[in-house]
Structure formats: C-alpha cells, structure tokens
Amino acid sequence: MPFSIIPQPASMTVGETPVFRLTKLCNLHADDESVLAKAELDRFFADTLALDLLGTGKEHLTLSVDPAVSKPEGYTLRVEPTRVTVTGHDASGVFYGVQTLKQLLLQEEGILPAIEIEDAPQYGYRGFLLDVSRYFFAPDAVKQLLDAMALHKLNRFHWHLTDDHGWRIELDGYPLLTQIGAWRAYTNFGRTPHGGFYTKDEIRDIVQYAHERCIQVIPEVDSPGHVVSAIAAYPFLSCFDRDLNVATNSGVQHDILCVGKESTFDFMFGVLDEVLELFPDGMFHIGGDEVPTMRWEHCPHCQKRMEDEGFTDVGQLYPYYIGRVTAHLKEKGVRVFAWYNAQLGEKIDAAVIREHWDVLPGDDADLSHVVDADFHSYYFDLPYGMVPLKACYTHDPAKNGTQPFGVECCLWTEYVPTMEKAGYCAFPRLGAFSETAWTPPDAKNYDAFLRKLPAYLALLDAFSLPHATRKQALPGLLRKWGYQAWFWKRNLHALGWKKNLDDRHVAKQSSVDSR
Ligand code: ACM
Ligand code: ZN
C-alpha cells in the first residue's frame, strides 16, 4: 500500500502484507538518548490514539540512537514481523523517525506491512516565522504551531516578537513596553482594541516546549524600523520625541529609532541583554527591514551623528546602527540574523546571516550566510492566488548546485487574527515547504505531493490543525483573480490613502515633517 508521508522520506520501500499491529499490548523501549522521541510517542498514544500501553504482548517498538546510522537529524525506520525499530543518528533523528511513524500508524490504523525507510534532512536550518505583533497569539496557540512544526520536521522557530503594532515581550527594565506598547486601539478587523504580551515565565515555558520538540528558538526584536510600539511607550526613542500611538494602520511607518541619540543605543542594548537571557539557543534576529530615512534627514541629533562620523549621506546612518547592534550581540557570542536589505549592501558584517525576502541573492552570491524566505513562495499570509501551492512547492532556493544556509516560511499576521485563519494560510503550504526543507530534490515531485493531499489534509484534521480545503488551496482562474483584486485593494488601503491620512495628522504636529 502506498503511504502518504509529508515531508516525503528520502527513501522508502513498503511490503504487501501486514506484519505489525499496534495494540495496547505493545512493548515500548527507548534508550536514554531517545527521551524526547519517547515523550512525543507517549503523547501521540495518549492524546491522539487514546491508547494506554500495557507492554505485555509480543509486539515491540524500539527507539534508539546510533551515530553510525544516517546523517545528522536522520533516522532509519524498519517495520518487521512484530517489531518496529526507529534508529536515529542523534536525538533529533529518533524524534523525526517518530514523526514518520505517527503518520504511518494513523493512515493504516496501526496495521503496518514491512517497511524500510532511510531519511535525513536536505537543510539543517528549516525555519518557520510567526508574527505575534500584528495579532497576539496566546501561548497555547504558539504551542499548537510548534507541534505543527515538529510534525513537518521543521527545527527553527523565528519568533517575530515586536513591530509597529505591538510589543509582546515583558521586560523588567522597560515596563512601559508592554504596559503601553502591547496595546493598540483597533486592528484591520474592526474598531476594537487588541493586545497582549508574554510574561518571562511564559516565554521560558514556550522555549522549553520547543526544545522538547527539537526546535531552537530565534527571537526577533525588529529595529531601527518597525518600532512604533516602542516609541509609543518611550517617545525619546524617536527623532523629535514624538508622542505616537501604537500603530493601527498597516504599511511601513515613517517614525523609526533616532540613531543620533546615545540614549537609543543604551535602550536597545538593555533590551537585547534582557531578551537574550530568555533565549539560550545563541541566535538573535535584529530585523533591519524597511527603514525609511526621512526623519533622520531633519533630526538635529541624527545630523550631529552624521557630522561626528563624517557621513555625507543619511543612508550611512543605517549600517552604522546595524553595525553597533551586531557588534553588541557578537560580543556575547550570539549568532546574528538580519533581514537582507539592499540599503545595507556589502556593509553588513560577514558573519551575519541575511534573510532574503523581497530581493533574492544574485547568481554569484555566497549562500553560506543566506536564509531564503522568498515572499513569492514562502509568505503564507498572501492569498493562494498570489503564493500558489505550486510556487511554494517548486521554488528552489539552491543556485548552481549550492544551497543556502537555510530556508524559512513566514506567517505574517496583519490579516491573520485567529488560529483558524493561521491554519488556513499555513496549511497545506507548510507541507509543500517542508518537502523543500527536508526532502532531497530527487525524491520531490509536485504531482506526487498533490496525490498525497487528501491524506495530508486528513492528517491535519487528526491533529486539529485548521487548513485550507483542496479547492481553496488550488483556486481556479476566477478565484485567483478575485484574490488578486482583494490583495491589491488591501494594499492600496494599507499603503495609500489611509496611511497618508494618519501621517498627515502626525505632520500637522511637527513643522519638520518631510515626505
Ligand atoms: C518583511 O517582510 N518586511 C521582512
Ligand atoms: Zn534622530
């Protein structure tokens, strides 16, 4: 029988006749290194199958680590008469073998033929970004998405914790960031206030939850743009000490950090140090996307900084800021990630991992420090008519046979207020993405993926993950045009007249505004 496993294993052979039946009499064995995988399987038996193993029968299920097997994070899975063996190269490998086993057991209701799987990931960095600033996602929702990541064998959670629309992480040194910066007056879905934030204990709990699922966490504190929520809390952070509200309108905001004042750096270093204490994985994303410089052009502090540094172009303040923040983090032994930004060009520290979203690396680029988050393929907030399932599946981040450091799919949430909508946006595209992140290219095939779709959607149902239907995920031409029309209307709304109205209001308050 053909099994529908997502992401597709590197190699899989399947026999004809049943040789193993999972019942509650089955014995489960795990060595000391396989505790995470065993805990995952225990949860699956208890929560999904409602099966309480007695361990008195002749069936055996064995989880163990053997570094001689496969490659890092890889595993072999063997089903023989009365025996299932999952052997991982390391603890992650066994864990991913268990993810495959869960799918096998669900599809055939616990009755398996002889199976031989050898599997290992194509990419070491398999990322998923969740934006919790535009809409706050409570800890339980974040955990549900971490479970979905694990199911798809993804291993890097990029947590976009701050942006114009809300500051989501509680810090002792700067309490107003959450007292004021976590709340906005209204959202894209109605004139009701919205907000929320994570306490430090909640952050620690979520990080541990991720670790238990072989996921490392990369926090993002975005700056020097996308900081209106911080400015609303501490106006001194802006040029002209602006008294702003947490942003309610979408689009790029003109008010960013003042990089002339030394107090801005004191603030940011304090924030970074406090945030770092909560995230032990040694990685930090500093943002750096979408930085309009019109405030800097007129700010006396920024002008003074330019003079002191001998800058002739206001654009030079941007690499100056990023350079200081990067140096601060590097000093602490942290690996720095940033959005690739053409403004920065070659000036970025060579050690920084650049995440490309709008401009992809050139053909001759060094990909060893690149994460591919191509928005045409991996931005799941965009409609299926704009980021089609097929584009998501077939996008190839490799160039000339060289693959980048990592791949990442992104769930921005300007228009994603609920878990229901998050699931609709993410699935089945995340399944398609996972086959690029995990499956070797020669085992990938879009038509085969489409044939697996019904079983995949049933799998998502089994784990209570909301998703788009096949019809929604594969829209016909008319629906595609409909999506496009909706998208452009939304963008005109976001970037055009509504934004300008808000900005004119700000402009009235300041004679130095310039656009
Ligand atoms: C981004 O989408 N501004 C990274
Ligand atoms: Zn300034």
Side-chain angles (χ1 to χ4, degrees), residues 136-259:
F136 177 64
F137 281 71
D140 280 351
V142 176
K143 289 178 177 177
Q144 198 181 355
L145 289 165
L146 289 170
D147 278 320
M149 283 183 68
L151 181 66
H152 293 81
K153 304 186 173 83
L154 305 185
N155 66 353
R156 297 287 183 272
F157 178 46
H158 176 172
W159 204 357
H160 187 78
L161 284 161
T162 69
D163 211 303
D164 300 310
H165 303 89
W167 187 282
R168 303 290 174 224
I169 178 166
E170 178 188 54
L171 297 177
D172 301 329
Y174 307 95
L176 299 185
L177 287 173
T178 41
Q179 284 170 25
I180 293 174
W183 310 95
R184 60 165 159 161
Y186 59 93
T187 72
N188 287 320
F189 290 99
R191 298 207 158 246
T192 48
H194 174 81
F197 62 90
Y198 307 104
T199 65
K200 287 190 168 182
D201 281 344
E202 285 170 334
I203 297 264
R204 286 189 199 99
D205 178 51
I206 289 170
V207 169
Q208 186 186 334
Y209 193 92
H211 288 173
E212 285 165 2
R213 284 151 187 79
C214 299
I215 295 166
Q216 295 190 331
V217 185
I218 304 158
E220 179 181 348
V221 174
D222 200 350
S223 73
H226 290 278
V227 289
V228 169
S229 61
I231 293 174
Y234 296 103
F236 77 84
L237 293 170
S238 63
C239 300
F240 313 110
D241 294 6
R242 285 217 150 120
D243 183 15
L244 300 180
N245 294 320
V246 176
T248 46
N249 57 326
S250 301
V252 177
Q253 311 290 317
H254 293 174
D255 286 288
I256 64 175
L257 293 184
C258 175
V259 295

Side-chain angles (χ1 to χ4, degrees), residues 27-42 45 60-66 75-78 83-88 90-91 93-99 101-102 105:
N27 301 272
L28 177 56
H29 316 272
D31 65 6
D32 290 347
E33 289 177 79
S34 305
V35 285
L36 296 184
K38 178 171 183 301
E40 177 74 4
L41 201 51
D42 284 341
F45 288 155
H60 293 268
L61 213 162
T62 304
L63 311 178
S64 63
V65 168
D66 178 357
Y75 67 92
T76 58
L77 189 159
R78 200 162 281 134
R83 181 172 296 279
V84 173
T85 318
V86 178
T87 314
D90 43 31
V94 201
F95 183 82
Y96 294 130
V98 162
Q99 295 303 339
L101 180 61
K102 282 163 55 180
L105 289 171

Side-chain angles (χ1 to χ4, degrees), residues 289-290 339 357 379 412:
D289 56 323
E290 298 176 321
W339 293 108
W357 64 283
Y379 268 28
W412 299 102

